[in-house]
Amino acid sequence: MVLEILQAGFMQRALVAGIAVALICSVVGLFLVLRRHSLFGDALSHMAFGGIAVGMFTQVYPLWTALIVSILGALGMTKLRQSTKISPDASVAVLLSSGLALGIVLIGLSGGFSVDLFSFLFGSILLVSFDDTAMILALAAGILAVMALLYRKLMYIAFNEEQAKVSGLAVNMLNYAFIVVASVTVIASIRLVGILLISSLIVIPNIAAMMLGKSFKKTIIISAAISVASVITGIFASYFANLPPGGTIVLTTIFMLLGIMGAKYAARKAKTVQTAVAENTSEPGR
Amino acid sequence: MVLEILQAGFMQRALVAGIAVALICSVVGLFLVLRRHSLFGDALSHMAFGGIAVGMFTQVYPLWTALIVSILGALGMTKLRQSTKISPDASVAVLLSSGLALGIVLIGLSGGFSVDLFSFLFGSILLVSFDDTAMILALAAGILAVMALLYRKLMYIAFNEEQAKVSGLAVNMLNYAFIVVASVTVIASIRLVGILLISSLIVIPNIAAMMLGKSFKKTIIISAAISVASVITGIFASYFANLPPGGTIVLTTIFMLLGIMGAKYAARKAKTVQTAVAENTSEPGR
Amino acid sequence: MASSKVLMIGMGAGAAVAIAIAVAAFATMGGSATTTPAAAPDNNNAEGAQKVKVIASFFPLYDFTRQVGGDRADVSVMVPPGVEPHDWEPTPQQIQRASSANMLVYNGAGFEKWVDAVGANFTVNTSEGMSLLNNEDPEEQKEHGLYDPHIWLDPVLAKHQVDKIREGLVKIDPPNADYYNANAAKFASELDALDSHIKSELSSCEKKDFIAFHEAFSYFSNRYNLTQHAVHDSLTPEGEILPQRLEELVKLAKDLDIHVVYSEELVDPRLAQVIASEIPNGRVLTLSPIEGLDEQEQAAGLGYLDKMREDVANLKVGLVCS
Amino acid sequence: MQIVNIDRVSYRYDGGYAIQDISFSAEEGDLVGIIGPNGSGKTTLFNCMLGILTGYSGTITIFGQDIRKSKAPLKQIGYVPQKHAIEPGFPATVEEIVSLGIMRGKPARERIITALETVDMAREKDRRIGELSGGQQQRVLIAKALVNDPALLILDEPATGIDIETQNRFYSLMTRLNKENKLTIIMSSHDLDAVNRLANRVACINRSMFFHGDTHEFFENEDLLKKYSEASMQAHMHLHSHH
Amino acid sequence: MQIVNIDRVSYRYDGGYAIQDISFSAEEGDLVGIIGPNGSGKTTLFNCMLGILTGYSGTITIFGQDIRKSKAPLKQIGYVPQKHAIEPGFPATVEEIVSLGIMRGKPARERIITALETVDMAREKDRRIGELSGGQQQRVLIAKALVNDPALLILDEPATGIDIETQNRFYSLMTRLNKENKLTIIMSSHDLDAVNRLANRVACINRSMFFHGDTHEFFENEDLLKKYSEASMQAHMHLHSHH
Ligand SMILES: Nc1ncnc2c1ncn2[C@@H]1O[C@H](COP(=O)(O)OP(=O)(O)OP(=O)(O)O)[C@@H](O)[C@H]1O
Ligand SMILES: Nc1ncnc2c1ncn2[C@@H]1O[C@H](COP(=O)(O)OP(=O)(O)OP(=O)(O)O)[C@@H](O)[C@H]1O
Ligand SMILES: [Mg+2]
Ligand SMILES: [Mg+2]
Ligand SMILES: [Zn+2]
């Protein structure tokens, strides 16, 4: 069964690209979640929509305007957060709303547009081409390299931005750099696997991992493991149950999260019972 | 001009319903923003999508399943956040992803769906009927009444959940009650004015108001004023410039936010210059 | 506004994404859509294996092809039931399925932009050789081609389409030529009957002007000497309606003393309702461009002819015919 | 009248026991000083008493009610937490924050002002809470605990970060409330001097309790004091040596 | 060698001046105690020195460099903030948090352990930072400031919430580093005793500076001490009476 499904080229490509996307989303995602930017992926896709509208309005190739507008929007959001006391999740919401409104108004101004371009936002992991796969592998390698390089600094900023600044880190620059990396991660991945998958891979494996790993390093490793496992499980499950792969992968991550929560809860319960028993048995001796 | 545009029934209704929606979104929104649930509106609309899919799958009237699934999802999210250390924005992201994945998988299972039902999520403020207007007015009155009733308690929880609990408030119950009110607000408004407007009205007027108002009361009043003003300005602007009203309203709120930020910045600059001048002139005397 | 994008979205991934980008969805852009394999009619069943496999692009052509092919052709449809076909796009799986069929029937006139991508074994362009109406709007030309594709709504032109389908079937399945010819002739006479039905029903009407939902009825109007207006000033039911346009429509209705605004099955009904609510004694009726039937209608066995008759009945109300 | 009774209370986090088998009680008018080194479980004990942590074993009774069964006692408790991470941008004034403390009776303006005056913050009442200095915020939280006219005060290192003058005023106020109004107070502190001056009873804990009794008994007993110091140095070893 | 020079520094928030016209300097090996009541501007002054607040007037020079122009001095400063709102769920161990402090040299394991040992927290190195008690977290942050082998320590009420034994150890350590290694330390505190014991210089501020000089000069001068107490009581009036 498994071998048979691996013979289809599109399944091979889905697995390879899916694993690459899972890795970068979970690594970049941990920092997004810790910065309270959990819905950054979702917001950025809306900005990309605005960017596509800009492209159609100005007759520039929309893929580029989408990328540029998204990154500018993300940088603007960072600036907004750095120069006001706005909470990070609210700044993400502003990014989302602005992108959307921009797109809609531009579309209104230009009196409609050719929708083909939206295919940009509507990837499906089964439709990944060979070139796409090569591209995402290269990009993933680059992104992971940058993240490895900035690892300690970004962790410091996630822990406490002010203390990081006081320690002499160029926090503002690093924030901009990170948000560009995150934007590239999201935009590159959206094209391949669609927005649904991105948002979930950013958040869910990381909150699951944060329940398990004590250290930062372990958290990253567990999160990557969970997201890669979900992608593989999800793709196989979607094949055998004939379900949409994106949705199936997301549901897999959610089940993993619930499983981990349940296990923790059970462990806690067992301990409490133990305690109670210990208490009771020790009582006579006092 | 202004009188003329007010003659059209749809413009009157847009204004009335728009103002009602602006009021409830900004009031409920302040608490959402303070709880770090800024993107709750967006997430809930995705849950509603899942709910519609449930309705189609089970052949139940989708409007009801949408409402029920959304509220259950929102309650589940609250439970998730209360029983783990997951940050609020991550729990919103989980809500969003789950709703979306649920919908997609169900649609996949049922092999497609009749899309009419989606009009549920895609309101436009211009298409509000008389009945809709009456409904939203009644609902808005109810929601504002509940919010007035719970005002101090919800403020306490927003300030510090743990302290509120220690003071004897039934925090968990209140959280559930609030999230139900917020869900009803969002679902009722989405049908009328579309998801775009909701998300923005929840967040943007409130972050602008938080820059201006020192007290909680003033913040609520300023936020309500900003959102009502944006709706009115946006509707008129969209009429005269022939632009989509939803997008225009959102851009109006964003311009107001930027205006307030600019004014604050200018005020700060002016003060610093004053200070510097004062410093310099006082120097000789020392 | 609203809706059209979603309407066009197939199921599965496309819809997912569209909703994810919530507004993209309701903001009306057409949809890039995809369909899960499960959604497409399954034509791999055993008994279908011996018949010629024909795939039609969307509902009217599916119905025409079924009429001509009878039980000797295994006919399926590309655009799934309940989905708006304007700007619809197939998924690779659907393309694959279509390319394995013996014949692909499509409307032409720029309605199906995806036809070339399919690389079908044999294609029938049902509008071939017809004199088509031009697409007047230069902006729209860029997106929707040079011509108005809504030929099927004119029974006379539909007869031409049926003939093209007959030709095609005869060509790929010569042994059954007589069968197909007979079926086509029978259906053509039904179309003739429809034509005269329309003529007689609309012979004594007070009005010539009606407000359709989108500009689908130009061929129809020309044939039966009516004047079409449309809520969506466009060949597709897409795009957000802006406040000024709403006002124009209300004024138009008032000026022409029109009391009925027509909506369609696959769009948000509120748009027509709002306009109707602004005009005296306004009401909303359905005037179907027959671009897609939902599953219930298909299950009920409704076809092109039934839908056309429904349209005529509804038009009679709006045009105040005796 | 017995206000608080803690009976063999234990609590364990994932890592192990933070408090084990703690018992003591406070009568009306007692001022109990809870002392113990960092990590000895003072905050954990308070969190159990206040319903923040629920998975403890043993029984906690406040105003005669088992707090596992009734949350009613909470409305009569004034509490000052050890940590107060106040959002810098939270849009509320000092006055509004103090008013949140009122769970009994009407949120009258005068009550708020009076409470603020006791910590010398009445003049700052219209400022945003987030703008205040750390010590000023701590003072506001003390006012918030007092404004409710509580029947029991639970203070977790309340004088932390407060300047000396205000500490002295605060301690005098505590003494007055305790002596004149017979207000029961349970207070943790690392300031042994203050505990010695204020408290009539002391509970010294270090995961488990190693002293509970009259204040002078503790402070006059060199052995106990020495034990406390040693505990201090070994505090960190306990939790982890036991699992 | 002059390590820090503060020259007529003022800072105003929206509400008015928090510090005004503050000047003092610290030579290598100085231990300067900054004292002043709540809201007197100690934290504001530190925030200006550390580049957290930038809109001040006047000049701050550290290691001879104007910190408005160069951020380089920061890498040689160890800083313990007054408030540390550590996210309870932040997924990092004590060891990892301390390692963040290392901005100079290699993040070697031994350095971290050594730093943790000075605050008696080495045994807790593998615990999650968010699980620790308030005082334990404060100790970890002290270790994080020390691990960088700083040339200047800036401590904002560092002993807050720390138990007595650890305070004593910490103060001895400060004395040792200060005396033996000639480490310059600037420390704010409300604990006048500790300042008296440790500091060789005192800066007493209350919005503006009203004393700056040798420690014994301050503590032997009854007038100054009285003035400090009065300032304490009037502290809150200053900010708002001036705008
Ligand atoms: N959430 C938690 N998870 C695991 N362990 C915890 C948690 N909170 C506290 N602990 C541990 O429980 C023990 C008691 O902590 P507690 O906060 O009660 O101490 P404390 O006496 O209040 O200390 P301090 O004087 O520093 O405030 C400590 O060892 C601490 O590390
Ligand atoms: N963000 C802010 N906005 C407005 N005013 C502020 C802000 N932060 C502090 N202040 C005010 O500036 C003054 C100085 O505050 P600062 O925190 O420097 O005092 P401090 O000496 O450190 O006090 P503490 O001993 O309580 O820590 C106070 O009156 C305070 O209310
Ligand atoms: Mg404590
Ligand atoms: Mg301070
Ligand atoms: Zn059409």
Side-chain angles (χ1 to χ4, degrees):
Chain A
M1 285 273 268
V2 170
L3 279 182
E4 165 192 316
I5 124 176
L6 283 179
Q7 277 166 1
F10 70 92
M11 286 301 273
Q12 292 167 4
R13 288 193 301 271
L15 279 169
V16 172
I19 289 170
V21 168
L23 279 176
I24 53 177
C25 283
S26 75
V27 171
V28 170
L30 177 58
F31 294 92
L32 286 171
V33 169
L34 291 176
R35 285 160 174 259
R36 306 279 180 273
H37 277 175
S38 298
L39 279 165
F40 178 76
D42 202 59
L44 202 70
S45 69
H46 288 72
M47 208 57 189
F49 163 76
I52 292 170
V54 169
M56 289 173 328
F57 195 67
T58 56
Q59 315 269 359
V60 178
Y61 187 52
L63 213 106
W64 291 117
T65 52
L67 192 66
I68 291 165
V69 170
S70 306
I71 289 179
L72 287 181
L75 291 175
M77 175 195 76
T78 308
K79 174 89 193 134
L80 179 76
R81 201 180 59 73
Q82 278 173 358
S83 51
T84 62
K85 280 182 203 143
I86 293 176
S87 65
D89 68 316
S91 66
V92 170
V94 173
L95 180 71
L96 187 148
S97 302
S98 318
L100 211 44
L102 177 72
I104 286 172
V105 166
L106 282 183
I107 286 163
L109 272 180
S110 65
F113 60 92
S114 168
V115 270
D116 304 23
L117 300 165
F118 278 88
S119 60
F120 173 75
L121 291 169
F122 308 135
S124 160
I125 197 163
L126 294 183
L127 307 185
V128 177
S129 71
F130 184 80
D131 288 357
D132 287 341
T133 314
M135 186 275 284
I136 195 76
L137 281 179
L139 214 58
I143 288 168
L144 291 177
V146 172
M147 293 305 292
L149 209 70
L150 300 180
Y151 171 77
R152 272 186 71 227
K153 292 177 181 172
L154 292 177
M155 173 180 164
Y156 201 169
I157 295 175
F159 175 64
N160 190 315
E161 202 164 308
E162 195 171 285
Q163 284 180 37
K165 203 175 228 161
V166 169
S167 288
L169 291 186
V171 169
N172 288 356
M173 283 311 304
L174 284 164
N175 280 344
Y176 289 131
F178 171 71
I179 221 69
V180 169
V181 171
S183 303
V184 171
T185 303
V186 170
I187 300 273
S189 308
I190 281 180
R191 237 184 100 54
L192 299 195
V193 300
I195 166 68
L196 162 66
L197 217 50
I198 309 297
S199 269
S200 322
L201 287 178
I202 283 174
V203 176
I204 300 171
N206 280 309
I207 57 183
M210 279 162 68
M211 290 182 186
L212 295 179
K214 283 232 184 257
S215 77
F216 205 83
K217 230 173 233 152
K218 273 192 198 142
T219 306
I220 287 191
I221 293 168
I222 296 174
S223 159
I226 291 175
S227 58
V228 168
S230 302
V231 165
I232 296 174
T233 317
I235 288 178
F236 279 76
S238 97
Y239 181 86
F240 291 118
N242 201 25
L243 290 172
T248 314
I249 293 172
V250 174
L251 287 186
T252 313
T253 61
I254 291 172
F255 286 136
M256 289 208 179
L257 174 67
L258 292 177
I260 288 167
M261 282 172 56
K264 278 212 100 177
Y265 183 78
R268 202 125 229 285
K269 260 279 140 79
K271 227 180 233 168
T272 313
V273 172
Q274 256 178 31
T275 312
V277 170
E279 291 285 315
N280 287 334
T281 50
S282 70
E283 239 170 351
R286 292 163 74 224
Chain B
M1 284 270 268
V2 170
L3 279 182
E4 165 192 315
I5 127 175
L6 284 179
Q7 276 167 0
F10 67 89
M11 288 302 274
Q12 292 166 5
R13 291 193 301 270
L15 278 169
V16 172
I19 289 170
V21 168
L23 278 177
I24 53 178
C25 284
S26 74
V27 171
V28 170
L30 177 58
F31 294 93
L32 287 171
V33 170
L34 290 176
R35 284 159 174 261
R36 305 280 181 270
H37 277 174
S38 298
L39 279 166
F40 178 76
D42 202 58
L44 203 70
S45 68
H46 289 72
M47 209 57 190
F49 163 77
I52 292 170
V54 169
M56 289 172 331
F57 194 68
T58 56
Q59 314 271 356
V60 178
Y61 187 52
L63 212 105
W64 291 116
T65 52
L67 192 65
I68 291 165
V69 170
S70 306
I71 289 178
L72 288 181
L75 291 175
M77 176 196 76
T78 307
K79 174 89 192 134
L80 180 76
R81 200 180 60 74
Q82 278 173 359
S83 51
T84 63
K85 280 182 203 142
I86 293 176
S87 65
D89 68 315
S91 67
V92 170
V94 172
L95 180 70
L96 188 148
S97 303
S98 318
L100 206 46
L102 177 72
I104 287 166
V105 167
L106 282 184
I107 286 165
L109 271 180
S110 65
F113 59 92
S114 168
V115 268
D116 303 25
L117 300 165
F118 279 89
S119 60
F120 173 76
L121 288 171
F122 311 129
S124 159
I125 198 164
L126 294 181
L127 306 187
V128 176
S129 72
F130 184 81
D131 288 357
D132 287 340
T133 313
M135 186 275 284
I136 195 76
L137 281 179
L139 215 58
I143 288 167
L144 291 177
V146 173
M147 293 305 291
L149 209 69
L150 299 181
Y151 171 78
R152 273 186 72 226
K153 293 177 180 170
L154 293 177
M155 174 180 164
Y156 201 168
I157 295 174
F159 174 64
N160 190 315
E161 201 164 308
E162 196 171 284
Q163 283 180 36
K165 204 176 228 160
V166 169
S167 288
L169 292 185
V171 169
N172 288 356
M173 282 312 304
L174 284 165
N175 280 343
Y176 289 131
F178 171 72
I179 220 70
V180 169
V181 171
S183 303
V184 171
T185 303
V186 170
I187 299 276
S189 308
I190 281 180
R191 230 184 105 55
L192 299 195
V193 301
I195 166 68
L196 162 66
L197 217 50
I198 309 297
S199 269
S200 321
L201 287 178
I202 283 175
V203 177
I204 301 172
N206 280 310
I207 56 183
M210 278 162 68
M211 289 182 187
L212 293 179
K214 283 233 182 258
S215 77
F216 205 82
K217 230 173 234 153
K218 273 192 198 139
T219 306
I220 287 192
I221 293 170
I222 294 173
S223 160
I226 291 175
S227 59
V228 168
S230 302
V231 165
I232 296 174
T233 317
I235 288 179
F236 278 74
S238 99
Y239 179 86
F240 291 117
N242 205 24
L243 289 173
T248 313
I249 293 173
V250 174
L251 287 187
T252 312
T253 61
I254 291 171
F255 285 137
M256 288 207 181
L257 174 66
L258 292 177
I260 287 167
M261 281 171 56
K264 278 211 101 177
Y265 183 76
R268 200 126 228 288
K269 261 279 141 79
K271 228 181 232 167
T272 314
V273 171
Q274 258 180 30
T275 313
V277 171
E279 292 286 316
N280 286 335
T281 50
S282 71
E283 238 170 352
R286 293 164 73 223
Chain C
M1 84 147 256
S3 73
S4 42
K5 156 85 165 222
V6 185
L7 299 174
M8 268 154 239
I9 279 162
M11 321 70 199
V17 178
I19 300 288
I21 317 241
V23 181
F26 63 79
T28 83
M29 340 24 224
S32 81
T34 51
T35 304
T36 59
D42 185 2
N43 39 17
N44 288 338
N45 56 9
E47 46 173 15
Q50 290 89 20
K51 303 179 190 176
V52 285
K53 273 200 224 163
V54 184
I55 197 151
S57 69
F58 73 119
F59 179 76
L61 297 177
Y62 169 65
D63 197 25
F64 297 166
T65 312
R66 261 190 331 190
Q67 300 294 344
V68 180
D71 53 16
R72 313 254 168 108
D74 176 18
V75 187
S76 58
V77 67
M78 283 289 272
V79 181
V83 175
E84 232 290 337
H86 284 283
D87 290 328
W88 177 88
E89 280 178 15
T91 65
Q93 287 101 319
Q94 288 169 321
I95 290 177
Q96 205 176 11
R97 191 161 296 129
S99 62
S100 72
N102 302 91
M103 178 171 114
L104 169 69
V105 178
Y106 68 103
N107 186 70
F111 194 67
E112 302 95 340
K113 285 187 285 274
W114 41 267
V115 160
D116 289 340
V118 169
N121 292 322
F122 182 75
T123 56
V124 173
N125 176 358
T126 57
S127 62
E128 196 178 32
M130 238 176 241
S131 70
L132 296 167
L133 292 175
N134 287 327
N135 184 352
E136 308 290 350
D137 186 343
E139 265 295 313
E140 284 216 336
Q141 281 181 8
K142 267 188 283 170
E143 297 161 28
H144 304 296
L146 298 173
Y147 305 106
D148 179 348
H150 299 91
I151 43 182
W152 64 90
L153 292 172
D154 175 354
V156 180
L157 296 179
K159 237 169 72 181
H160 178 94
Q161 292 186 290
V162 169
D163 198 51
K164 284 283 175 196
I165 294 167
R166 180 197 57 79
E167 264 178 27
L169 280 171
V170 167
K171 205 167 216 160
I172 61 164
D173 189 17
N176 284 318
D178 290 346
Y179 177 79
Y180 296 138
N181 289 334
N183 280 349
K186 176 160 165 287
F187 192 61
S189 68
E190 286 183 52
L191 287 173
D192 284 334
L194 175 66
D195 180 36
S196 40
H197 171 75
I198 298 173
K199 275 190 185 129
S200 74
E201 288 289 300
L202 302 183
S203 59
S204 53
C205 299
E206 286 178 19
K207 298 195 172 81
K208 289 203 175 306
D209 294 84
F210 66 101
I211 301 177
F213 194 76
H214 77 288
E215 288 184 346
F217 292 86
S218 304
Y219 295 100
F220 183 90
S221 302
N222 287 352
R223 176 76 55 202
Y224 302 109
N225 202 18
L226 301 173
T227 311
Q228 171 187 245
H229 308 272
V231 173
H232 280 280
D233 197 6
S234 154
L235 290 173
T236 62
E238 289 167 25
E240 184 163 5
I241 291 290
L242 302 181
Q244 291 182 9
R245 175 71 186 154
L246 270 181
E247 217 170 37
E248 273 169 37
L249 286 163
V250 172
K251 187 164 175 295
L252 177 84
K254 282 180 181 161
D255 288 351
L256 295 173
D257 196 25
I258 290 175
H259 303 287
V260 173
V261 181
Y262 290 104
S263 188
E264 297 173 9
E265 307 97 320
L266 301 178
V267 301
D268 187 345
R270 284 179 287 184
L271 180 45
Q273 274 159 11
V274 162
I275 299 163
S277 73
E278 295 291 316
I279 54 184
N281 303 320
R283 60 188 285 204
V284 175
L285 291 174
T286 301
L287 187 62
S288 173
I290 321 186
E291 291 175 353
L293 266 59
D294 66 30
E295 279 169 291
Q296 277 149 0
E297 284 176 314
Q298 290 206 4
L302 288 184
Y304 169 85
L305 294 172
D306 310 290
K307 294 295 288 181
M308 283 300 284
R309 280 172 208 268
E310 270 177 25
D311 277 353
V312 171
N314 284 338
L315 256 183
K316 273 181 72 181
V317 179
L319 299 176
V320 196
C321 310
S322 50
Chain D
M1 201 185 102
Q2 206 178 49
I3 301 289
V4 175
N5 188 46
I6 313 252
D7 186 25
R8 280 173 282 150
V9 168
S10 304
Y11 186 87
R12 59 184 297 168
Y13 295 105
D14 285 352
Y17 282 99
I19 51 177
Q20 197 168 26
D21 217 15
I22 305 260
S23 303
F24 72 86
S25 59
E27 302 291 316
E28 184 166 6
D30 272 352
L31 200 162
V32 184
I34 310 269
I35 57 178
N38 295 140
S40 58
K42 302 180 295 297
T43 301
T44 304
L45 178 63
F46 286 157
N47 285 347
C48 292
M49 292 170 66
L50 293 161
I52 298 172
L53 295 174
T54 51
Y56 60 87
S57 61
T59 314
I60 299 174
T61 319
I62 300 182
F63 307 133
Q65 289 182 285
D66 183 340
I67 58 136
R68 237 195 287 258
K69 286 172 196 143
S70 165
K71 297 276 164 250
L74 290 176
K75 302 222 175 201
Q76 303 185 51
I77 298 177
Y79 167 57
V80 177
Q82 177 180 7
K83 279 207 215 176
H84 49 93
I86 291 175
E87 276 297 328
F90 193 82
T93 59
V94 167
E95 184 178 339
E96 282 178 313
I97 294 302
V98 173
S99 85
L100 294 178
I102 304 180
M103 305 305 290
R104 306 195 296 173
K106 274 200 190 133
R109 192 102 199 256
E110 310 95 67
R111 289 176 69 180
I112 298 169
I113 305 291
T114 310
L116 280 169
E117 270 165 359
T118 58
V119 292
D120 219 1
M121 288 290 289
R123 278 186 213 80
E124 318 278 354
K125 73 177 166 35
D126 293 324
R127 294 184 68 193
R128 254 208 199 187
I129 182 73
E131 285 179 1
L132 300 183
S133 77
Q136 290 171 326
Q137 292 183 348
Q138 179 73 2
R139 295 196 210 175
V140 172
L141 292 185
I142 292 172
K144 172 169 158 292
L146 293 176
V147 76
N148 197 29
D149 200 5
L152 167 65
L153 265 183
I154 296 184
L155 310 168
D156 200 354
E157 308 190 18
T160 308
I162 292 191
D163 61 46
I164 314 166
E165 270 319 296
T166 316
Q167 277 189 32
N168 289 338
R169 287 182 58 140
F170 170 68
Y171 286 142
S172 322
L173 175 72
M174 287 303 108
T175 311
R176 211 185 65 222
L177 289 173
N178 178 240
K179 295 267 147 34
E180 293 174 14
N181 304 10
K182 290 219 143 240
L183 177 64
T184 314
I185 301 175
I186 300 180
M187 176 177 96
S188 77
S189 180
H190 294 300
D191 185 346
L192 294 194
D193 276 355
V195 171
N196 196 0
R197 267 183 292 137
L198 265 62
N200 66 325
R201 295 173 73 75
V202 164
C204 183
I205 66 172
N206 188 19
R207 195 166 61 115
S208 55
M209 186 150 64
F210 75 83
F211 175 81
H212 174 223
D214 280 356
T215 306
H216 57 87
E217 227 180 285
F218 181 81
F219 283 98
E220 281 159 15
N221 187 329
E222 292 290 323
D223 266 11
L224 278 174
L225 278 173
K226 220 177 124 206
K227 248 168 108 185
Y228 169 81
S229 301
E230 279 162 12
S232 223
M233 298 214 266
Q234 294 168 353
H236 51 269
M237 301 173 62
H238 279 253
L239 190 73
H240 279 252
S241 55
H242 273 261
H243 59 104
Chain E
M1 201 185 101
Q2 206 177 49
I3 302 288
V4 175
N5 188 44
I6 312 251
D7 187 25
R8 279 173 284 151
V9 168
S10 305
Y11 186 85
R12 60 183 297 169
Y13 294 105
D14 285 351
Y17 282 99
I19 51 176
Q20 198 168 24
D21 217 14
I22 304 258
S23 304
F24 72 85
S25 59
E27 300 292 315
E28 185 166 7
D30 271 350
L31 199 164
V32 185
I34 310 270
I35 58 176
N38 294 141
S40 58
K42 302 180 295 298
T43 301
T44 304
L45 178 63
F46 286 158
N47 284 348
C48 292
M49 292 170 67
L50 293 161
I52 298 171
L53 295 174
T54 51
Y56 61 87
S57 61
T59 315
I60 299 174
T61 318
I62 300 182
F63 306 132
Q65 289 182 285
D66 183 340
I67 58 137
R68 236 195 287 256
K69 285 172 197 142
S70 164
K71 298 274 164 254
L74 290 177
K75 301 222 177 203
Q76 303 186 52
I77 298 178
Y79 167 59
V80 177
Q82 178 180 8
K83 280 206 212 175
H84 48 93
I86 292 175
E87 277 296 327
F90 194 82
T93 59
V94 167
E95 184 179 338
E96 283 178 312
I97 294 301
V98 174
S99 84
L100 294 179
I102 303 180
M103 305 305 291
R104 307 195 295 174
K106 273 199 191 137
R109 192 102 198 256
E110 312 95 67
R111 289 175 68 180
I112 299 169
I113 306 291
T114 310
L116 279 169
E117 270 164 0
T118 58
V119 292
D120 219 3
M121 287 290 289
R123 278 184 212 80
E124 318 279 354
K125 72 177 167 34
D126 292 325
R127 295 184 66 194
R128 253 208 201 188
I129 182 74
E131 285 179 359
L132 300 182
S133 78
Q136 289 172 326
Q137 291 183 350
Q138 179 74 1
R139 296 197 209 173
V140 172
L141 293 185
I142 292 171
K144 173 169 157 291
L146 292 176
V147 76
N148 197 30
D149 200 6
L152 167 65
L153 264 183
I154 297 184
L155 311 167
D156 199 356
E157 308 190 18
T160 308
I162 293 191
D163 61 44
I164 313 167
E165 270 317 297
T166 316
Q167 277 189 32
N168 290 338
R169 287 182 57 140
F170 171 68
Y171 286 141
S172 324
L173 175 72
M174 288 304 107
T175 311
R176 211 185 65 223
L177 289 172
N178 178 241
K179 295 267 146 34
E180 291 175 15
N181 304 11
K182 290 220 144 239
L183 177 63
T184 314
I185 300 175
I186 300 180
M187 176 177 94
S188 77
S189 179
H190 294 299
D191 186 345
L192 293 195
D193 275 355
V195 172
N196 195 2
R197 266 184 292 136
L198 266 61
N200 66 326
R201 296 173 72 73
V202 166
C204 183
I205 66 171
N206 187 19
R207 197 167 60 114
S208 55
M209 186 149 64
F210 76 83
F211 174 81
H212 174 223
D214 280 357
T215 306
H216 57 87
E217 227 180 282
F218 181 82
F219 283 98
E220 282 160 13
N221 186 330
E222 293 288 322
D223 267 10
L224 278 175
L225 278 174
K226 219 176 126 209
K227 248 168 111 185
Y228 169 81
S229 302
E230 280 162 12
S232 222
M233 298 214 265
Q234 294 167 352
H236 51 268
M237 301 173 61
H238 279 254
L239 190 74
H240 278 253
S241 56
H242 273 261
H243 58 104

